[in-house]
């Protein structure tokens, strides 16, 4: 009895000391303790009270639909950081630039942010095309970008941290799950016609043929924005694949799923796993049309981890109770927090000090759970399979172990 | 096509035929309004897609009201009428506020309506947000008639088909059988003379433009049964729509029908044997080929120049 009490007491004391120590650290973080001359030696937009970062997304044009969620998440993270005392005692100010869904504009705006605004970090880009346009500017002007979209991999830049999954993380785990749980042997691959779906399907085909000993019975691409899937659906009916593996993106998904359901291919008759339907798309497609189909990605709004409850609550408080959070939105939210951790570890805003400090960083209770930054600038993530429910949310039915990022998969190209 | 039984192949042929017809009815609905405005008035309406989007958003709004007042099962026919009305009214105002000043300068109407389309897109974005939305559909429209195991005829496809037949018939009757239609044709053939015999050509122009826009609104409402709606949805379909009108020959209703059918079936049949992208490219090449051989389109109008 005595021992137990003492142990409880000890626990309480440790907690109290820990608490005091933590408060100590937080109150210590005044700019005065980190004089500007010490935390910044390269002419960045840092003064005694503030630090200015850049947000660079498409606020207009066709990509605005997708990127607005990312802007919201990045601004929320920055607001929260400011409210919790800022970063090295400084409040974060934001300059938001509009890439306007136009790749040269992205490059131009990145140049402006780095050369005239002197920002120590940019949070932004969505499509690979916009990132590739910004990349040479980052390299020339020694900038730092946090990039939030899941993408095809085949890139590793000194100046970019990739806070979304690269292709192998989503695809290999998803296909392994389908092969094991759904006993899928015959696969039908379909995607929108641009680099991400094509690269993804190339990796998928290799994996299916060489590791799962399955068969690809069809592989097809439809123009971006296509709304006519009648022929595809008939071919799926004829070939009767065990699994349709889809990387159809954006509004096309609505047409695809509505037409599948109308043609009698509901989830009971046809299993389907997609890489590109998040809660954002689900809202447009309608839960009824999506019911029972699966998505493979690291994050779903319904994810039951402690870090996520806080995130969802804060996001809804900021953007309304009807707001939904998809995987990319969550990736965007990670950026400012990861940067804050790296800056504090480095004790400096200087980009060349922040980058090495970021590598190896562990975030135990991020909204998607445990994550770790790998030396290849991508993150270790778990991949989840979400089963879509009539209410437009996904139920997580399976999750992988932590997967090491592998942007240049050998034997898959 | 080896390894399939003949009954399977037959079923697929039937399904594929229906997919083509379904695409045909969508294309026809989209192009009809444009054909009226382009053919009868010579106005190249670049904002046609936005009038479709207007109809789609009207449907979306009505579905919200229907859900909260519990008439979701009945609202859709209502939504089609509302879509027509809203697009009609906006079209009427647009003609009155600036199109009517530009009839003698066709190239300027192209620029002006293009500007209008950008303005409308921004208005949609401000009101409805940048994300794509999808109205709730009544259950009866989302099902299918199951004829056999393989043959399912989607009800939404049948619905759009019937709708496009009805709208086409109405337009045909208006243009060819009604008093108003005679006045429209008189105006098109000789504006001065029509004016001289007491036809109020300004009023005719305004009504024609508004009806063309209204029909686009109906197309937008129909489109919500198969796809989602965003601020830029209209511009996505405008190319297909122009393709139909140009291939058919401006001003010819029969041309529009034949051309929509040709494009839809070509695309549908080819996309069964090859990938969707290639089919689209080949369809476009086919259209280019026809236009090169017959620059006036399949059914050139017989208007005196």
């Amino acid at each position: 009895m005595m021992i137990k009490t003492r142990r409880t007491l000890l626990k309480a004391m440790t907690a109290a000391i820990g608490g005091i120590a933590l408060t100590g650290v937080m109150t210590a973080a005044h700019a005065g303790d980190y004089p500007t001359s010490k935390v910044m030696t390269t002419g960045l937009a840092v003064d005694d009270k503030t630090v200015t970062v850049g947000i660079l997304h498409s606020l207009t044009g066709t990509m605005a639909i997708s990127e607005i969620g990312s802007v919201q998440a990045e601004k929320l993270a920055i607001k929260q950081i400011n409210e919790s005392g800022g970063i090295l005692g400084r409040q974060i100010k934001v300059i938001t630039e509009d890439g306007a869904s136009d790749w040269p504009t992205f490059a131009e705006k990145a140049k402006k942010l780095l050369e005239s605004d002197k920002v120590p970090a940019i949070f932004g880009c969505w499509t690979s095309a916009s990132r590739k346009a910004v990349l040479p500017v980052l390299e020339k002007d020694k900038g730092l970008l946090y990039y939030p979209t899941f993408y095809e991999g085949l890139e590793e830049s000194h100046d970019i941290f990739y806070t979304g999954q690269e292709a192998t993380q989503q695809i290999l785990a998803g296909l392994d799950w389908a092969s094991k749980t759904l006993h899928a042997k015959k696969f039908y691959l379909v995607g929108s016609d641009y680099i991400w779906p094509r690269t993804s399907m190339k990796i998928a085909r290799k994996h299916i043929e060489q590791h799962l000993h399955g068969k690809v019975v069809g592989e097809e691409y439809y123009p971006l924005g296509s709304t006519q899937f009648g022929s595809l659906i008939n071919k799926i009916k004829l070939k009767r694949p065990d699994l349709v593996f889809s990387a159809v993106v954006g509004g096309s998904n609505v047409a695809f799923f509505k037409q599948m359901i109308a043609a009698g291919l509901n989830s009971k008759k046809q299993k389907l796993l997609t890489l590109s339907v998040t809660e954002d798309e689900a809202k447009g497609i309608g839960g009824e049309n999506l019911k029972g189909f699966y998505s493979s990605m690291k994050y779903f709004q319904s994810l039951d981890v402690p870090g996520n409850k806080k995130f969802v609550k804060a996001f809804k408080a900021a953007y309304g109770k009807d707001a939904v959070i998809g995987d990319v939105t969550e990736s965007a939210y990670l950026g400012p927090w990861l940067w804050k951790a790296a800056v504090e570890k480095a004790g400096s805003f200087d980009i060349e000090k922040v980058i090495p400090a970021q590598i190896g960083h562990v975030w135990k209770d991020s909204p998607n759970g445990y994550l770790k930054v790998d030396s290849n600038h991508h993150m270790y993530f778990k991949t989840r399979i979400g089963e879509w429910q009539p209410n437009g949310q996904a139920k997580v039915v399976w999750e992988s172990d932590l997967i090491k990022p592998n942007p240049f998969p050998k034997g898959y190209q | 096509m080896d390894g399939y039984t003949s009954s399977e192949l037959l079923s697929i042929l039937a399904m594929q035929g229906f997919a083509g017809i379904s695409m045909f009815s969508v294309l026809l609905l989209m192009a009809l309004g444009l054909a009226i405005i382009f053919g009868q008035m010579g106005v190249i309406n670049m904002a046609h897609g936005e009038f479709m989007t207007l109809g789609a958003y009207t449907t979306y709004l009505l579905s919200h009201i229907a859900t909260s007042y519990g008439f979701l099962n009945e609202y859709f026919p209502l939504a089609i009428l509302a879509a027509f009305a809203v697009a009609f009214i906006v079209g009427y105002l647009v003609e009155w506020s600036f199109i009517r000043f530009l009839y003698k300068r066709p190239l300027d109407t192209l620029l002006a309506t293009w500007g209008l389309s950008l303005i409308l897109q921004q208005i949609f974005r401000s009101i409805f947000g940048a994300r794509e939305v999808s109205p709730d559909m009544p259950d009866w429209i989302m099902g299918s008639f199951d004829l056999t195991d393989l043959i399912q005829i989607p009800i939404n496809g049948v619905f759009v088909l019937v709708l496009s037949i009805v709208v086409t018939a109405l337009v045909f009757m208006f243009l060819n059988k009604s008093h108003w239609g005679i006045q429209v044709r008189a105006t098109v053939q000789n504006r001065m003379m029509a004016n001289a015999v007491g036809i109020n050509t300004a009023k005719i122009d305004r009504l024609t433009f508004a009806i063309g826009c209204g029909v686009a609104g109906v197309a937008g409402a129909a489109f919500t049964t198969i796809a989602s709606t965003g601020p830029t949805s209209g511009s996505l379909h405008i190319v297909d729509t122009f393709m139909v009108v140009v291939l058919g020959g401006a001003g010819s209703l029969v041309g529009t029908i034949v051309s929509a059918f040709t494009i839809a079936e070509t695309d549908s049949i080819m996309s069964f044997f090859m990938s969707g992208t290639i089919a689209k490219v080949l369809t476009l090449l086919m259209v280019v080929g026809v236009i090169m051989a017959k620059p006036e389109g399949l059914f050139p109008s017989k208007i005196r120049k």
Side-chain angles (χ1 to χ4, degrees):
Chain A
M1 215 37 206
M2 195 60 201
I3 295 168
K4 200 176 173 191
T5 324
R6 192 189 298 161
R7 194 171 288 161
T8 326
L9 191 69
L10 267 175
K11 249 193 202 164
M13 278 177 66
T14 326
I17 293 168
I20 292 163
L22 203 67
T23 341
V25 170
M26 277 172 73
T27 45
H30 282 302
D33 301 325
Y34 295 96
T36 304
S37 59
K38 272 201 170 162
V39 297
M40 193 280 296
T41 60
T42 48
L44 296 169
V46 179
D47 60 31
D48 289 345
K49 294 221 167 70
T50 61
V51 50
T52 306
V53 300
I55 285 181
L56 174 55
H57 280 287
S58 299
L59 309 176
T60 54
T62 176
M63 290 311 299
I65 294 165
S66 307
E67 296 191 51
I68 275 164
S70 302
V71 176
Q72 289 179 331
E74 284 153 4
K75 291 199 164 157
L76 174 65
I78 288 168
K79 184 169 153 265
Q80 289 177 328
I81 292 170
N82 280 341
E83 281 166 3
S84 69
I87 185 164
L88 297 184
R90 287 161 176 85
Q91 291 284 299
I92 305 173
K93 290 207 293 191
V94 177
I95 296 177
T96 309
E97 289 292 347
D98 180 9
S101 309
D102 177 58
W103 324 138
T105 307
F106 265 93
E108 202 178 288
K109 300 286 185 179
K111 199 173 156 90
K112 180 214 166 235
L113 284 170
L114 293 172
E115 290 183 4
S116 32
D117 300 328
K118 308 276 183 197
V119 298
I122 299 174
F123 305 95
C125 300
W126 211 93
T127 62
S128 285
S130 67
R131 188 191 66 250
K132 298 264 186 215
V134 165
L135 187 57
V137 181
L138 291 169
E139 284 175 353
K140 181 176 161 283
D141 288 336
K142 307 218 177 321
L144 173 59
L145 171 73
Y146 285 81
Y147 172 69
T149 322
F150 48 76
Y151 84 117
E152 65 277 358
L154 307 180
E155 191 178 290
E156 180 186 328
S157 166
H158 175 68
D159 301 299
I160 302 178
F161 283 100
Y162 306 82
T163 63
Q165 289 182 304
E166 47 78 29
T168 69
Q169 289 175 312
Q170 269 191 301
I171 293 166
L172 305 191
L175 288 175
D176 287 346
W177 171 81
S179 155
K180 212 172 148 194
T181 313
L182 303 176
H183 310 289
K185 282 279 162 225
K186 282 160 72 183
F187 296 80
Y188 204 111
L189 312 180
V190 51
S192 295
D193 203 353
Y194 69 103
I195 177 169
W196 175 72
R198 280 188 178 268
T199 314
S200 299
M201 290 311 166
K202 212 166 163 185
I203 294 172
R205 180 185 272 273
K206 278 271 162 62
H207 194 66
I208 289 164
E209 285 169 352
Q210 291 173 6
H211 297 268
L212 303 177
H213 307 293
K215 204 175 150 202
V216 175
V217 294
E219 177 176 349
E220 279 192 70
Y221 303 94
Y222 282 76
L224 269 178
S226 173
T227 51
Q228 295 295 339
F229 290 95
S231 300
L232 171 68
I233 289 162
N234 287 337
K235 279 188 259 188
I236 291 172
K237 279 187 166 173
L238 196 62
K239 305 244 168 146
R240 296 203 186 97
D242 302 323
L243 186 80
V244 174
F245 193 57
S246 164
V248 172
V249 304
S252 285
N253 269 311
V254 181
F256 183 34
F257 283 101
K258 274 189 178 172
Q259 288 167 26
M260 285 240 318
I261 299 292
L265 284 185
N266 56 31
S267 61
K268 286 202 181 73
K269 286 206 186 135
Q270 179 62 61
K271 299 291 171 211
L272 178 145
L273 179 64
T274 153
L275 296 171
S276 46
V277 172
T278 73
E279 283 78 354
D280 286 320
E281 282 80 15
K283 209 174 173 181
I285 298 167
E288 280 301 326
N289 297 321
L290 206 49
K291 180 177 69 184
F293 294 121
Y294 302 100
S295 278
S296 170
M297 49 195 56
K298 72 176 186 319
Y299 176 84
F300 294 98
Q301 190 182 319
S302 67
L303 197 59
D304 189 16
V305 298
N308 190 36
K309 295 214 176 72
K310 274 191 286 178
F311 171 49
V312 173
K313 207 175 146 200
F315 196 87
K316 290 196 177 242
Y319 302 112
K321 66 175 171 46
D322 290 337
V324 295
I325 307 167
D327 180 88
V328 182
T329 307
E330 191 260 353
S331 301
Y333 179 76
L334 303 177
W337 284 103
L338 287 169
W339 178 67
K340 169 185 153 84
V343 168
E344 285 175 348
K345 190 176 165 206
S348 169
F349 291 101
D350 289 344
I351 287 166
E352 285 312 316
K353 289 181 188 152
V354 172
I355 290 172
Q358 187 76 86
I359 288 166
H361 174 69
V362 168
W363 186 357
K364 281 188 189 131
D365 56 353
S366 83
N368 67 71
Y370 183 99
L371 75 84
K372 185 179 157 195
V373 183
D374 190 67
S375 56
N376 63 24
H377 287 219
H378 295 67
M379 325 262 143
Y380 283 76
F381 287 121
K382 286 181 175 176
T383 292
R384 275 101 182 177
I385 303 293
E387 183 182 345
W388 292 99
Q389 309 292 312
N391 66 0
Q393 291 286 317
K395 189 173 101 191
V396 177
V397 292
W398 179 83
E399 74 177 26
S400 72
D401 295 332
L402 211 56
I403 304 173
K404 182 180 160 57
N406 183 12
F408 295 97
K410 282 206 178 63
Y412 279 104
Q413 283 156 50
Chain B
M1 289 288 120
D2 50 333
Y4 304 115
T5 64
S6 53
S7 83
E8 270 180 337
L9 281 177
L10 250 147
S11 307
I12 290 306
L13 207 66
M15 292 284 296
Q16 202 55 25
F18 187 78
I21 288 176
S22 169
M23 185 173 171
F24 155 69
S25 51
V26 170
L27 279 181
L28 180 58
L29 262 187
M30 294 199 307
L32 212 52
L34 193 69
I36 297 170
I37 294 173
F38 188 33
Q40 309 301 324
M41 307 172 67
V43 171
I44 301 169
N45 183 13
M46 295 296 282
H48 185 74
E50 279 61 42
F51 283 98
M52 286 195 260
T53 315
L54 197 62
Y57 274 126
T58 306
T59 312
Y60 172 70
L61 280 181
L62 258 177
S63 92
H64 263 272
I65 300 171
T67 323
S68 31
Y69 288 92
F71 61 102
L72 190 65
N73 262 327
E74 294 83 24
Y75 91 96
F76 204 70
L78 216 70
I80 291 171
L81 291 178
F84 179 84
V86 171
F88 180 92
I89 293 166
V90 175
Y92 193 90
L93 292 176
V94 162
E95 202 278 348
W96 172 78
S97 57
F98 65 91
I99 301 283
R100 65 179 167 139
F101 302 112
L102 301 171
Y103 284 128
K104 298 223 173 78
R105 297 178 285 168
L107 276 180
D108 291 358
T109 59
L110 190 138
L111 275 182
T113 52
W114 185 49
L116 175 68
S117 88
L118 295 180
I119 293 168
L120 286 174
Q121 283 180 25
Q122 193 51 47
I123 292 175
F124 296 146
R125 197 173 284 122
S126 306
I127 299 177
F128 298 98
R131 293 208 170 142
E132 300 204 0
V133 296
S134 192
D136 293 326
M137 284 293 142
D139 287 339
W140 57 264
I141 211 169
M142 293 316 292
S144 57
F145 302 115
D146 299 358
L147 300 183
T148 70
D149 260 0
L150 264 173
I151 307 185
Q152 274 100 1
I153 303 296
I155 294 175
N156 60 5
V158 177
F159 185 83
V160 177
L161 178 61
V162 172
L163 184 67
S164 71
I165 291 171
V166 170
V167 174
T168 312
L170 283 176
V171 167
F172 186 81
M173 270 158 39
F174 261 128
L175 279 180
N176 291 300
K177 306 275 179 234
S178 73
H179 184 64
W180 172 76
I182 294 168
Q183 291 187 335
V184 170
R185 280 180 292 143
T187 308
V188 170
Q189 285 176 1
N190 194 331
R191 187 171 296 266
M192 298 280 275
M193 191 57 83
N195 246 332
V197 297
I199 293 173
N200 185 345
T201 53
K203 192 175 145 201
I204 289 295
D205 283 335
R206 199 157 307 151
L207 268 177
T208 311
F209 191 83
I211 285 178
C213 293
V215 171
V218 173
F223 222 74
T224 58
T225 64
I226 53 167
S228 62
T229 309
T232 51
S233 294
S235 55
L236 208 68
H237 304 304
I238 194 75
V239 175
D240 286 341
T241 313
F242 267 111
M243 203 158 79
V244 171
V245 173
V246 171
L247 180 69
S252 158
L253 208 57
V254 181
T256 308
I257 297 171
V258 172
S259 141
F261 189 79
T262 315
I263 290 175
E265 286 299 333
T266 315
D267 191 283
S268 177
I269 291 167
M270 286 198 297
S271 72
F272 189 72
F273 294 105
M274 52 198 91
S275 128
T277 309
I278 309 257
K280 188 108 187 158
V281 170
L282 289 180
T283 308
L284 197 63
L285 282 178
M286 188 255 330
V287 173
V288 170
V290 173
I291 300 289
M292 280 172 80
K294 295 189 68 148
E296 298 274 292
L298 291 173
F299 292 80
S301 52
K302 297 181 189 75
I303 298 165
R304 234 171 289 152
K305 287 275 147 54

